[in-house]
Amino acid sequence: MTLTEHSPAATGRASAAWGHLWPHFTRMSAGTGPVITRGEGAYVWDDRGRRVLDGLSGLFVVQAGHGRRELAQVMAAQAEELAYFPVWGYATPPVVRLAERLADAAPGDLDRVFFTTGGGEAVESAWKVAKQYFKLTGRPLKHKVISRAVAYHGTPQGALAITGLPAMKQQFEPLTPGGFRVPNTNIYRAREHGDDPVAFGRWAADRIEEAILFEGPETVAAVVLEPVQNSGGCLTPPPGYFQRVREICDTYDVLLVSDEVIGAFGRHGTTFACEKFGYAPDIVTCAKGMSSGYAPIGAMITTERIVEPFLRGKTIFPHGYTFGGHPVAAAVALANLDIFDNERLNQRVLDNEAAFGATMRKLLDLPIVGDVRGDGYFWAVELVKDKTTKQTLDADERERLIRGFLPQALFDNGLYCRPDDRGDPVVQVAPPLICGQPEFDEIERILRHTLTEAATLL
């Protein structure tokens, strides 16, 4: 039975569920989709009783796995004691403890935490902080942000202006002015130095310096980069890349923002991904895995150097969110971080990432697979029409595979993951951090079967 062959009862349940729902990032004309009813460990079930491996951790979120009773119990206890109070001039015990814990875990001198309810808000907050910081320190022209082509940084108007995906922005323009783009680190598609990762990394980093100089260092406030770029398919940093970027930012007094909305909390085997890749940012943005998705919470974390001008006189940061630092979300985030410590989830990723990568790279023997790349528990398979020439799929083929065949076929075959063509067409996997070789093998088996069938549609 395929997704389009619903039983009458299942069709009725799905239609009722979707009758008043406006889904996110979805073609609503496509009709109803699966209704997910429960989760346990690395698996979810739909309303037809089908068990599906959650190969994307929900949306790069459910690090500790589904159905953790201990997290639900912490949420209930906190809600009973104090369900809500804002952090607008006040604090609550769980949010104070979480801020301290994040400051202790963050590398370098990142020790001041501004809470949000998600990643886009964290990126928005980082840009606002950068703008006001330079105004407070006598450099009011510094307001521009440089980010990478194809990178996604969120949907608020400011974060969307930082996003490097024109198609995602066109319907909402004009956006906040000041966002500028440089090349990303997709060495598989490199036009220069494709056979020399070190030279390619230097070339890509130097494009940031070139952009700063072109715009004028006196106007550039920040460079915003993901440790491993999500959109475009798990684009990893070449050797020396971030060290050169750090050098460039220091030279021109530009803040380096590490957007770790996906990368933080174990996705790459460290609490913060910048540790894994050896650089010290001025600001980190994070969300998703902080609570393993059990409650919405995000944060912008910065240094005392950046905070210091805000502590003077009557200065305030006129920005905030009603639910930022929600006490229930903070309490469950603390309990989630306890699980990280008790079950050594970061080390589990470090111990298993080579095996996961090796399992994923088995797919390179398929004619439709051009590249397999990633790090930690974050991998992408790039699809091609011609393996020798790296010829990508055309618009009709992308429509047929990425939006037509693959999402339904993968789910029907027992795997939830992400076909995506915001850059070159890829299938991404990012399973919960509790997974091991059995789940890796299951992911590879289902991908192999489904991609083999997909190749017949080209």
Side-chain angles (χ1 to χ4, degrees):
M1 179 181 286
T2 68
L3 289 178
T4 56
E5 297 170 345
H6 295 305
S7 69
T11 300
R13 291 194 299 272
S15 297
W18 284 58
H20 301 285
L21 176 65
W22 193 325
H24 298 197
F25 288 102
T26 301
R27 288 185 178 178
M28 291 189 286
S29 64
T32 61
V35 177
I36 307 304
T37 59
R38 70 183 182 94
E40 182 179 340
Y43 294 87
V44 295
W45 283 258
D46 70 5
D47 62 347
R48 293 166 56 192
R50 293 183 297 182
R51 188 184 84 152
V52 177
L53 176 58
D54 182 359
L56 203 67
S57 303
L59 196 60
F60 315 106
V61 171
V62 190
Q63 319 292 62
H66 297 277
R68 304 291 301 232
R69 184 177 298 275
E70 63 267 52
L71 296 184
Q73 290 171 339
V74 165
M75 295 172 70
Q78 180 59 48
E80 186 174 3
E81 182 172 324
L82 178 66
Y84 174 76
F85 209 79
V87 293
W88 297 37
Y90 300 87
T92 64
V95 82
V96 169
R97 292 198 300 272
L98 182 58
E100 181 180 19
R101 189 158 182 176
L102 293 176
D104 287 344
D109 54 357
L110 293 162
D111 66 355
R112 188 68 69 121
V113 183
F114 181 95
F115 285 108
T116 68
T117 62
E121 291 176 357
V123 173
E124 192 88 355
S125 302
W127 195 359
K128 282 188 171 182
V129 161
K131 287 181 176 181
Q132 189 174 355
Y133 168 77
F134 284 116
K135 286 179 171 61
L136 291 173
T137 55
R139 291 158 290 177
L141 295 181
K142 291 177 81 70
H143 69 283
K144 297 174 183 175
V145 173
I146 293 168
S147 60
R148 294 185 290 205
V150 192
Y152 173 77
H153 294 286
T155 56
Q157 289 279 296
L160 193 55
I162 298 173
T163 290
L165 295 159
M168 292 192 65
K169 301 188 283 188
Q170 290 169 355
Q171 301 304 318
F172 311 111
E173 292 172 328
L175 301 173
T176 304
F180 298 88
R181 240 61 59 204
V182 295
N184 58 46
T185 60
N186 186 356
I187 194 169
Y188 179 69
R189 295 286 176 185
R191 295 182 179 180
E192 299 185 46
H193 309 297
D195 59 349
D196 186 341
V198 173
F200 176 68
R202 177 65 185 235
W203 174 88
D206 284 349
R207 302 290 73 74
I208 294 174
E209 181 178 43
E210 185 178 81
I212 292 171
L213 291 172
F214 182 81
E215 292 300 323
E218 72 282 1
T219 72
V220 179
V223 171
V224 178
L225 306 172
E226 296 166 280
V228 175
Q229 184 173 313
N230 169 35
S231 183
C234 299
L235 306 181
T236 57
Y241 173 79
F242 274 112
Q243 291 68 36
R244 174 62 180 147
V245 172
R246 177 72 269 178
E247 181 181 81
I248 291 167
C249 289
D250 289 342
T251 298
Y252 300 105
D253 196 15
V254 172
L255 303 184
L256 175 55
V257 180
S258 186
D259 183 356
E260 304 196 15
V261 172
I262 289 176
F265 306 109
R267 185 54 54 191
H268 298 286
T270 50
T271 301
F272 294 96
C274 55
E275 299 175 88
K276 177 82 169 286
F277 299 104
Y279 65 97
D282 300 293
I283 298 174
V284 165
T285 58
C286 57
K288 294 189 183 288
M290 190 190 304
S291 70
S292 283
Y294 283 75
I297 190 167
M300 174 201 66
I301 309 173
T302 190
T303 68
E304 287 301 312
R305 176 176 74 90
I306 305 302
V307 170
E308 192 277 330
F310 293 87
L311 305 178
R312 302 173 189 168
K314 299 179 180 180
T315 301
I316 66 167
F317 181 41
H319 175 66
Y321 300 99
T322 299
F323 296 110
H326 192 287
V328 175
V332 75
L334 284 164
N336 178 60
L337 295 177
D338 285 342
I339 290 175
F340 268 75
D341 290 344
N342 295 336
E343 299 181 13
R344 302 181 74 241
L345 291 185
N346 284 340
Q347 188 59 48
R348 180 180 181 85
V349 172
L350 295 177
D351 291 344
N352 289 335
E353 64 177 341
F356 189 22
T359 304
M360 291 295 296
R361 290 191 180 99
K362 291 180 181 178
L363 297 167
L364 285 167
D365 67 354
L366 297 178
I368 196 174
V369 174
D371 192 28
V372 175
R373 53 183 178 259
D375 182 85
Y377 275 32
F378 190 34
W379 287 82
V381 177
E382 182 169 335
L383 308 182
V384 294
K385 189 172 183 177
D386 187 301
K387 202 178 185 79
T388 302
T389 65
K390 302 183 183 179
Q391 180 184 357
T392 191
L393 309 186
D394 63 28
D396 289 341
E397 291 161 342
R398 291 178 185 220
E399 179 69 25
R400 191 156 61 246
L401 264 62
I402 300 298
R403 280 171 288 281
F405 173 75
L406 283 172
Q408 175 178 313
L410 286 163
F411 194 91
D412 283 348
N413 291 331
L415 177 64
Y416 164 68
C417 58
R418 187 180 200 177
D420 186 18
D421 70 340
R422 290 174 296 174
D424 293 295
V426 298
V427 177
Q428 284 183 296
V429 293
L433 310 188
I434 59 172
C435 290
Q437 194 61 51
E439 291 80 17
F440 304 159
D441 290 338
E442 186 175 357
I443 289 170
E444 191 272 340
R445 176 180 56 79
I446 295 173
L447 284 173
R448 176 175 295 278
H449 172 80
T450 309
L451 293 177
T452 298
E453 187 175 357
T456 67
L457 303 177
L458 293 178

